[in-house]
Amino acid sequence: MGKPKGLKDKLWGAAVLKMSFRLRGDEDSPAFKAIYPGVLRDLQVTDEDVEQYIAQNRDAVEKAARGHNPPPARS
């Protein structure tokens, strides 16, 4: 079994997922509403955590959601 993900990794993944839907204007889509709550549950983070992470890392998250950037380096 792999190493457990840290909080930053979890938030990164959820933020990129959410931003990918947001950039397409699909946050109200059935697909987003079906997928995103399960992702939050599985990663044990809240939407508020994800929104805060997006606010603090908007440029990197948007680039990754567009497929142009790897995740930030671990600290």
Side-chain angles (χ1 to χ4, degrees), residues 21-37:
F21 279 89
R22 182 173 288 169
L23 290 171
R24 293 191 311 260
D26 284 342
E27 282 185 90
D28 288 329
S29 71
F32 179 76
K33 289 180 179 181
I35 295 168
Y36 186 65

Side-chain angles (χ1 to χ4, degrees), residues 6-22 27 32 35-62 65:
L7 181 59
K8 285 184 181 181
D9 291 333
K10 292 176 182 182
L11 290 172
W12 171 258
V16 171
L17 172 69
K18 186 169 191 175
M19 185 60 70
S20 69
F21 279 89
R22 182 173 288 169
E27 282 185 90
F32 179 76
I35 295 168
Y36 186 65
V39 168
L40 294 178
R41 182 192 63 240
D42 292 349
L43 296 178
Q44 299 177 328
V45 297
T46 66
D47 184 56
E48 293 80 18
D49 295 334
V50 174
E51 284 297 331
Q52 183 177 5
Y53 187 87
I54 289 171
Q56 294 171 348
N57 300 281
R58 182 167 300 277
D59 290 341
V61 171
E62 283 188 17

